[in-house]
Amino acid sequence: MDSCEDAATLEWWANRSACLGRLRVRIVVRTAGDDWTCEATLEAAEDRESFDFLMQLDPHFTLRFYDASILLVKVVEAGVGVVALVAELGLWPATGSATAARNGRDCRRLRQGSG
Protein backbone atom coordinates (compact mmCIF):
# COMPACT_ATOMS: atom_id res chain seq x y z
CA MET A 1 0.00 0.00 0.00
CA ASP A 2 1.29 3.44 -0.95
CA SER A 3 0.21 6.63 0.82
CA CYS A 4 0.86 10.34 0.75
CA GLU A 5 -0.21 13.47 2.58
CA ASP A 6 -0.97 16.87 1.09
CA ALA A 7 -2.81 20.10 1.73
CA ALA A 8 -5.98 20.93 -0.22
CA THR A 9 -9.16 22.95 0.02
CA LEU A 10 -12.73 21.71 0.33
CA GLU A 11 -15.07 24.10 -1.46
CA TRP A 12 -18.86 24.15 -1.22
CA TRP A 13 -20.50 25.66 -4.31
CA ALA A 14 -24.13 26.83 -4.36
CA ASN A 15 -23.90 27.10 -8.16
CA ARG A 16 -21.15 27.56 -10.75
CA SER A 17 -20.51 31.17 -9.71
CA ALA A 18 -21.10 31.24 -5.93
CA CYS A 19 -18.72 29.43 -3.58
CA LEU A 20 -20.17 29.59 -0.04
CA GLY A 21 -17.28 27.96 1.76
CA ARG A 22 -13.57 27.24 1.41
CA LEU A 23 -12.01 25.09 4.11
CA ARG A 24 -8.32 24.19 4.25
CA VAL A 25 -7.72 20.49 4.91
CA ARG A 26 -4.88 18.01 5.28
CA ILE A 27 -5.55 14.90 3.21
CA VAL A 28 -4.09 11.42 3.42
CA VAL A 29 -4.46 9.29 0.29
CA ARG A 30 -3.83 5.55 0.47
CA THR A 31 -3.66 3.37 -2.62
CA ALA A 32 -3.67 -0.42 -3.04
CA GLY A 33 -3.79 -1.56 -6.64
CA ASP A 34 -6.75 0.16 -8.30
CA ASP A 35 -8.41 1.02 -4.95
CA TRP A 36 -7.83 4.24 -3.06
CA THR A 37 -9.08 5.92 0.10
CA CYS A 38 -8.80 9.53 1.14
CA GLU A 39 -9.28 11.05 4.58
CA ALA A 40 -9.26 14.75 5.41
CA THR A 41 -8.82 16.78 8.58
CA LEU A 42 -9.76 20.45 8.89
CA GLU A 43 -6.65 22.57 9.43
CA ALA A 44 -8.48 25.18 11.53
CA ALA A 45 -10.72 24.10 14.41
CA GLU A 46 -12.75 27.31 14.03
CA ASP A 47 -13.91 26.05 10.59
CA ARG A 48 -15.86 23.18 12.17
CA GLU A 49 -19.11 25.15 12.62
CA SER A 50 -19.09 26.28 8.97
CA PHE A 51 -18.24 22.75 7.84
CA ASP A 52 -21.11 21.24 9.86
CA PHE A 53 -23.55 23.80 8.43
CA LEU A 54 -22.48 23.06 4.84
CA MET A 55 -22.65 19.30 5.47
CA GLN A 56 -26.29 19.69 6.57
CA LEU A 57 -27.08 21.47 3.31
CA ASP A 58 -25.34 18.92 1.06
CA PRO A 59 -22.30 16.68 1.67
CA HIS A 60 -20.86 17.21 -1.84
CA PHE A 61 -17.76 19.40 -2.00
CA THR A 62 -15.11 20.21 -4.57
CA LEU A 63 -11.65 19.05 -3.46
CA ARG A 64 -9.16 21.55 -4.90
CA PHE A 65 -5.46 20.78 -4.89
CA TYR A 66 -2.86 23.52 -4.93
CA ASP A 67 -2.04 22.85 -8.58
CA ALA A 68 -5.68 23.89 -9.32
CA SER A 69 -6.80 20.34 -10.14
CA ILE A 70 -10.23 19.43 -8.77
CA LEU A 71 -12.38 16.45 -7.91
CA LEU A 72 -16.01 16.36 -6.79
CA VAL A 73 -16.26 14.36 -3.56
CA LYS A 74 -18.92 13.26 -1.14
CA VAL A 75 -17.83 13.85 2.45
CA VAL A 76 -18.65 11.17 5.03
CA GLU A 77 -17.88 11.40 8.76
CA ALA A 78 -15.17 8.84 9.56
CA GLY A 79 -14.37 9.60 13.19
CA VAL A 80 -13.74 12.46 15.56
CA GLY A 81 -12.33 15.30 13.46
CA VAL A 82 -11.74 13.08 10.41
CA VAL A 83 -13.86 12.74 7.28
CA ALA A 84 -13.62 10.30 4.38
CA LEU A 85 -13.76 11.68 0.84
CA VAL A 86 -15.49 9.56 -1.79
CA ALA A 87 -15.02 10.50 -5.45
CA GLU A 88 -18.26 11.29 -7.27
CA LEU A 89 -17.13 10.06 -10.68
CA GLY A 90 -19.04 11.30 -13.69
CA LEU A 91 -20.51 14.33 -11.91
CA TRP A 92 -17.61 16.75 -12.32
CA PRO A 93 -14.51 16.78 -14.47
CA ALA A 94 -11.41 15.68 -12.62
CA THR A 95 -8.10 17.07 -13.78
CA GLY A 96 -4.41 16.92 -12.96
CA SER A 97 -3.30 15.21 -9.79
CA ALA A 98 -6.93 14.58 -8.77
CA THR A 99 -7.14 12.23 -11.75
CA ALA A 100 -4.17 10.30 -10.39
CA ALA A 101 -5.89 10.01 -7.01
CA ARG A 102 -9.18 8.99 -8.62
CA ASN A 103 -7.51 6.21 -10.53
CA GLY A 104 -5.66 5.08 -7.41
CA ARG A 105 -2.28 5.37 -9.13
CA ASP A 106 0.95 7.32 -8.75
CA CYS A 107 0.53 8.87 -5.34
CA ARG A 108 3.90 10.57 -5.78
CA ARG A 109 2.43 12.88 -8.46
CA LEU A 110 -0.28 13.96 -6.01
CA ARG A 111 2.23 14.67 -3.27
CA GLN A 112 4.48 16.67 -5.59
CA GLY A 113 1.52 18.67 -6.95
CA SER A 114 2.27 17.97 -10.60
CA GLY A 115 -0.51 17.44 -13.15
Side-chain angles (χ1 to χ4, degrees):
M1 180 182 296
D2 196 8
S3 67
C4 62
E5 295 184 34
D6 204 354
T9 303
L10 279 176
E11 300 175 345
W12 196 96
W13 290 83
N15 56 45
R16 291 198 181 269
S17 62
C19 181
L20 298 183
R22 285 188 175 91
L23 308 166
R24 293 177 48 121
V25 293
R26 293 293 308 167
I27 59 169
V28 177
V29 179
R30 293 179 182 86
T31 62
D34 286 339
D35 297 326
W36 68 280
T37 61
C38 184
E39 294 179 346
T41 306
L42 292 173
E43 285 190 352
E46 59 269 12
D47 287 341
R48 187 63 198 207
E49 186 175 340
S50 297
F51 172 77
D52 289 342
F53 173 75
L54 295 171
M55 283 286 290
Q56 288 178 7
L57 294 175
D58 188 345
H60 294 91
F61 288 74
T62 298
L63 180 63
R64 183 174 304 276
F65 298 91
Y66 288 102
D67 66 354
S69 61
I70 59 171
L71 180 65
L72 183 66
V73 294
K74 180 177 182 183
V75 177
V76 179
E77 291 285 344
V80 177
V82 177
V83 295
L85 306 178
V86 180
E88 293 291 325
L89 301 179
L91 297 178
W92 194 268
T95 60
S97 54
T99 302
R102 181 190 71 196
N103 291 331
R105 295 185 195 103
D106 200 3
C107 195
R108 286 181 301 269
R109 278 180 56 195
L110 177 63
R111 179 175 47 239
Q112 294 169 354
S114 63

